């Protein structure tokens, strides 16, 4: 589950990570009130107005702007709230901004120039260990840094049985070229950041930029935080941070009825039981010349009601040109599923306008094929995997 910047920063701060302070506003008047309060608390006369949407690159798209007085706060907040912000990470039509973060200006002048670094904490799946990725080249596109100057990106892997060792935090500060007070600040920053990552059950922290202020403080100016969905049951406070407006409407609906659904780009909808079979089915669709429109695992209880719900979800995607149902009857009996498909089809009447290919294998598979073939509906049945693939090819042709 992805969070907004302001929510990610709240979590970081609760673990003692220094952040650029700020408050959320939903309209221009509130922005002015919030900016006044923030000035009292931080002493900062200038403010940064930051669009809160689930997408990076906001700065480039005009979603991050500096305000030098309260009139500018009002004007800029009014302009950003309600806009459809387009960045390299949003859909082409952009994302509607419902709220902004009013933050203290932390790029104030001083003895040194402010400097921007990159830092993320994530799981290295190849080694099964958490790692801290960091670079002196912060503030910009880290993908570009990785491509053009990969030697400027460092990795620090953490042994899960020991945790982050003090020497590792010092190594990070050293590799970033820090000394004196900034060095100490960085080791503190890294240590609390890693603790926050582990104890919040996150699967991604990306802090870009981490800022060294002109007076050598180290802080998070941006925060991309993603919490592990499977841990939300024990993190109710974080679960409440979910913003449904930021998520795919179809995925939200699927989650509500308990279906494991991921929206994809292709034209063949699929309904499968079991995640492994679902992956294999997506491969099969590709080999037949189609592209899967979704990943959908209906789980173990593929009864008529569930099958109907799954059909409804799949058909919400206008790109779907055919549906492939691939169910293995281990615990569920295939004849039950077949009856479920026939019932769902009849219940939904006119709303199914695309061909359906059904492959049922396992307990009572032959009986299931008979039910489908005798139903008089425009459903193609298949017993073998290859047969199903051929039929997908046929209906797409
Ligand atoms: P992103 O573009 O979505 O990654 O948003 P960020 O939160 O990273 O902000 C983008 C850029 O805004 C940063 O890289 C900074 O250069 C700039 N910025 C953020 N906070 C401040 C601030 O307090 N003062 C000034 N002058 N610039 C800031
Ligand atoms: Mn950023």
């Amino acid at each position: 589950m992805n969070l907004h910047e302001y929510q990610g920063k709240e979590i970081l701060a609760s673990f003692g990570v220094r952040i650029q302070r700020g408050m959320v506003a939903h309209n221009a008047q509130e922005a002015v009130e919030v900016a006044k309060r923030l000035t009292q608390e931080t002493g900062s006369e200038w403010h940064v107005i930051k669009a809160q949407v689930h997408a990076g690159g906001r700065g480039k798209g005009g979603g991050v702007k500096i305000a030098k007085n309260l009139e500018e706060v009002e004007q800029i907040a009014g302009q950003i709230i309600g806009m459809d912000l387009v960045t390299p990470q949003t859909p082409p039509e952009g994302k509607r901004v419902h709220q902004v973060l009013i933050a203290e200006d932390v790029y104030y002048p001083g003895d040194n120039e402010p400097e921007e670094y990159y830092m993320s904490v994530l799981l290295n799946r190849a080694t099964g260990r958490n790692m801290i990725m960091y670079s002196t080249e912060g503030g910009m596109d880290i993908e570009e840094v990785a491509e053009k100057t990969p030697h400027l990106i460092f990795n620090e892997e953490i042994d899960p049985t020991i945790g982050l060792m003090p020497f590792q935090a010092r190594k990070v500060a050293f590799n970033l070229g820090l000394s004196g007070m900034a060095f100490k600040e960085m080791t503190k920053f890294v240590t609390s950041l890693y603790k926050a990552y582990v104890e919040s059950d996150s699967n991604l922290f990306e802090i870009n930029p981490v800022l060294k202020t002109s007076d050598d403080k180290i802080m998070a100016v941006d925060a991309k935080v993603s919490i592990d969905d499977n841990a939300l049951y024990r993190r109710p406070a974080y679960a409440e941070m979910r913003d449904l407006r930021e998520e795919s409407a179809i995925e939200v609906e699927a989650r509500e009825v308990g279906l494991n659904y991921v929206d994809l780009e292709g034209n063949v909808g699929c309904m499968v039981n079991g995640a492994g079979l679902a992956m294999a089915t997506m491969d099969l669709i590709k080999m037949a010349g189609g592209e899967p429109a979704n990943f959908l695992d209906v789980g173990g209880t593929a009864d008529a009601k569930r099958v109907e719900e799954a059909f409804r979800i799949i058909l919400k995607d206008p790109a779907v040109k055919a549906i492939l149902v691939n169910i293995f009857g281990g615990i569920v009996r295939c004849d039950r599923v077949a009856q479920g498909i026939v019932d769902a089809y009849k219940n939904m009447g006119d709303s199914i306008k695309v061909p359906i290919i059904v492959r049922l294998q396992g307990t009572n598979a032959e009986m299931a094929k008979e039910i489908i073939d005798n139903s008089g509906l425009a459903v193609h049945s298949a017993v073998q995997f290859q047969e199903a693939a051929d039929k997908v090819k046929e209906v797409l042709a």
Side-chain angles (χ1 to χ4, degrees):
M1 178 184 73
N2 292 333
L3 298 181
H4 285 294
E5 173 195 357
Y6 79 91
Q7 298 167 322
K9 280 177 164 172
E10 257 171 43
I11 294 179
L12 296 186
S14 74
F15 285 94
V17 180
R18 191 198 293 277
I19 56 161
Q20 173 193 39
R21 286 170 295 176
M23 295 172 198
V24 173
H26 301 85
N27 56 57
Q29 284 69 42
E30 199 187 354
V32 172
E33 292 311 310
V34 158
K36 280 185 198 155
R37 284 219 315 268
L38 204 60
T39 302
Q40 283 169 5
E41 279 181 30
T42 67
S44 174
E45 294 286 341
W46 290 13
H47 297 95
V48 199
I49 320 289
K50 309 179 82 178
Q52 296 299 289
V53 290
H54 288 190
R58 294 164 301 167
K60 283 183 203 151
V64 177
K65 290 203 168 134
I66 195 111
K68 299 194 173 108
N69 52 53
L70 292 177
E71 288 76 56
E72 284 183 14
V73 168
E74 183 171 4
Q75 185 227 329
I76 295 169
Q79 181 194 332
I80 293 180
I81 297 169
M83 84 186 281
D84 293 316
L85 179 64
V86 180
T87 85
Q89 294 183 21
T90 62
E93 70 276 15
K95 283 199 132 185
R96 180 63 50 91
V97 182
H98 300 285
Q99 50 196 354
V100 290
L101 178 64
I102 312 291
E104 60 176 332
D105 171 34
V106 286
Y107 287 60
Y108 44 81
D111 294 343
N112 307 304
E113 277 295 304
E115 278 191 57
E116 296 181 323
Y117 311 114
Y118 172 91
M119 191 171 294
S120 57
V121 189
L122 68 166
L123 176 68
N124 180 346
R125 289 175 192 278
T127 60
R129 292 175 175 210
N130 291 328
M131 62 178 182
I132 300 173
M133 255 174 73
Y134 60 103
S135 176
T136 49
E137 309 304 292
M140 53 185 96
D141 212 347
I142 196 66
E143 284 79 12
E144 201 181 311
V145 180
E147 201 176 299
K148 296 193 177 140
T149 49
H151 61 282
L152 295 178
I153 299 180
F154 300 95
N155 269 338
E156 190 63 33
E157 286 216 355
I158 293 104
D159 186 324
T161 58
I162 301 172
L164 181 77
M165 301 278 281
F167 85 87
Q168 293 182 295
R170 291 197 294 273
K171 193 163 130 200
V172 172
F174 180 81
N175 281 336
L176 290 173
L178 301 174
S179 60
M181 150 124 159
F183 185 98
K184 270 198 206 132
E185 276 265 321
M186 183 58 84
T187 59
K188 235 178 83 190
F189 184 88
V190 171
T191 306
S192 51
L193 190 73
Y194 187 72
K195 183 176 157 69
Y197 175 82
V198 172
E199 293 185 13
S200 62
D201 283 321
S202 288
N203 48 27
L204 175 70
F205 273 10
E206 189 177 51
I207 317 298
N208 190 20
V210 172
L211 184 74
K212 176 164 81 85
T213 60
S214 59
D215 51 355
D216 280 351
K217 290 190 188 108
I218 302 291
M219 66 172 69
V221 166
D222 194 2
K224 178 174 178 181
V225 168
S226 181
I227 311 274
D228 185 345
D229 281 305
N230 295 311
L232 287 176
Y233 75 95
R234 62 181 186 188
R235 306 277 174 223
Y238 301 161
E240 273 182 25
M241 292 179 171
R242 189 184 286 283
D243 186 347
L244 294 178
R245 296 172 299 192
E246 295 290 328
E247 303 188 0
S248 143
I250 308 183
E251 288 185 11
V252 170
E253 202 180 325
R255 191 168 46 239
E256 273 163 11
V257 297
L259 291 169
N260 195 354
Y261 175 95
V262 181
D263 210 0
L264 300 170
E265 303 284 298
N267 53 4
V268 183
C270 31
M271 185 193 312
V272 189
N273 66 339
L277 189 59
M279 300 296 276
T281 304
M282 288 159 63
D283 285 345
L284 182 86
I285 289 169
K286 284 211 167 207
M287 282 155 67
E291 285 285 333
N294 64 276
F295 168 96
L296 173 59
D297 173 9
V298 288
T301 55
D303 57 9
K305 182 164 169 285
R306 230 173 144 65
V307 168
E308 190 173 329
E309 277 164 349
F311 272 134
R312 278 190 203 286
I313 301 273
I314 291 172
L315 288 168
K316 289 209 177 219
D317 180 349
V320 169
K321 296 281 172 288
I323 298 176
L324 173 58
V325 180
N326 191 8
I327 304 267
F328 176 74
I331 298 168
V332 292
R333 284 164 29 202
C334 291
D335 54 315
R336 280 262 186 91
V337 177
Q339 197 56 53
I341 292 168
V342 172
D343 292 349
Y345 203 111
K346 285 185 177 153
N347 275 342
M348 294 184 65
D350 294 342
S351 58
I352 303 183
K353 294 210 167 59
V354 297
I356 300 177
I357 299 111
V358 179
R359 185 231 178 198
L360 290 161
Q361 190 56 277
T363 312
N364 294 352
E366 292 299 331
M367 211 196 276
K369 185 167 165 21
E370 242 165 70
I371 293 171
I372 301 271
D373 289 346
N374 296 336
S375 68
L377 301 174
V379 180
H380 311 262
S381 66
V383 175
Q384 298 303 321
F385 220 168
Q386 190 55 50
E387 243 182 297
D390 293 342
K391 290 211 165 127
V392 169
K393 205 180 282 180
E394 230 177 273
V395 302
L396 286 180

